[in-house]
């Protein structure tokens, strides 16, 4: 939000964002923009002026979580086994995405990557983790952070209606990492 906005516009933005965080926590990415406007005490045009698309709203709601995941990627870069560091970060992305309704939708690629600030931030932060794992031979050279985010998003979206989505998402993520072959 630009600093030069009028005080009432800044207040509206803050109020809309707070209400949106609550609505997305309850209803996920499908939270009603009209309900957010009503609860915030503003018109739907005011919501759309601050957040012209649903993605813009989801990205704003997810910003703090995305920043935490970026910090975590930086903490893990250069620590211990490169494969384990990358998998630990991906575990965090899965856990955050399951617990933060709407985050998986904010990470989904449904247009140009440069237009998805959440995924772009994660790609930049996790790039060194991935690069190190590739250099160490712990990961195929053609795997990208975008591939891994897409995998996580798919798993989280596929499991969100399970009785225990966190356990199911974790199980499927482990299966994806281990592969389909029996353990030797």
């Amino acid at each position: 939000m630009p600093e030069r906005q009028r005080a009432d516009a800044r207040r509206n933005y803050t109020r809309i964002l707070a209400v949106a965080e609550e609505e997305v926590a309850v209803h996920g990415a499908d939270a009603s923009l009209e309900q957010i406007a009503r609860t915030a005490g503003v018109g739907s045009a005011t919501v759309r002026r601050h957040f012209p698309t649903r993605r813009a709203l989801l990205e704003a709601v997810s910003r703090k979580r995305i920043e935490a995941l970026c910090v975590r990627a930086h903490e893990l870069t250069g620590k211990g086994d490169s494969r384990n560091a990358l998998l630990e970060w991906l575990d965090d992305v899965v856990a955050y995405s399951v617990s933060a309704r709407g985050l998986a939708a904010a990470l989904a690629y449904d247009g140009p990557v440069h237009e998805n600030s959440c995924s772009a931030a994660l790609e930049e932060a996790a790039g060194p983790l991935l690069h190190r794992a590739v250099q160490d031979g712990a990961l195929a050279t053609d795997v990208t952070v975008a591939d891994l985010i897409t995998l996580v998003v798919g798993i989280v979206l596929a499991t969100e209606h399970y009785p225990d989505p966190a356990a199911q998402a974790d199980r499927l993520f482990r299966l994806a990492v281990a592969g389909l072959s029996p353990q030797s």
Side-chain angles (χ1 to χ4, degrees), residues 98-110:
V98 168
S99 68
R101 295 196 60 182
L103 180 56
L107 293 174
Y109 293 97
D110 63 356

Side-chain angles (χ1 to χ4, degrees), residues 80-175:
D81 176 83
S82 61
R83 178 174 162 47
N84 288 340
L86 179 62
L87 291 177
E88 188 174 332
W89 181 76
L90 287 169
D91 279 338
D92 291 346
V93 176
V94 171
Y96 267 116
S97 296
V98 168
S99 68
R101 295 196 60 182
L103 180 56
L107 293 174
Y109 293 97
D110 63 356
V113 174
H114 68 274
E115 291 179 6
N116 187 326
S117 67
C118 291
S119 290
L122 291 182
E123 284 188 44
E124 183 178 328
L129 275 173
L130 180 95
H131 180 70
R132 185 168 163 247
V134 168
Q135 275 188 321
D136 292 348
L139 198 64
T141 59
D142 62 341
V143 175
T144 66
V145 177
D147 293 335
L148 299 174
I149 291 171
T150 300
L151 177 66
V152 168
V153 167
I155 288 170
V156 171
L157 292 177
T159 59
E160 69 183 357
H161 297 295
Y162 276 71
D164 187 351
Q168 187 65 16
D170 184 63
R171 179 183 171 283
L172 289 178
F173 178 69
R174 303 254 164 261
L175 179 63

Side-chain angles (χ1 to χ4, degrees), residues 42-111:
V42 299
S44 60
T46 301
V47 171
R48 295 208 188 274
R49 188 168 33 259
H50 288 288
F51 305 101
T53 64
R54 181 173 297 277
R55 171 170 302 287
L57 179 69
L58 291 173
E59 287 182 7
V61 166
S62 302
R63 186 164 290 123
K64 289 177 189 169
R65 290 184 177 98
I66 295 298
E67 288 171 1
L69 288 169
C70 290
V71 167
R72 184 71 173 135
H74 293 296
E75 291 171 356
L76 290 168
T77 298
K79 291 191 177 177
D81 176 83
S82 61
R83 178 174 162 47
N84 288 340
L86 179 62
L87 291 177
E88 188 174 332
W89 181 76
L90 287 169
D91 279 338
D92 291 346
V93 176
V94 171
Y96 267 116
S97 296
V98 168
S99 68
R101 295 196 60 182
L103 180 56
L107 293 174
Y109 293 97
D110 63 356

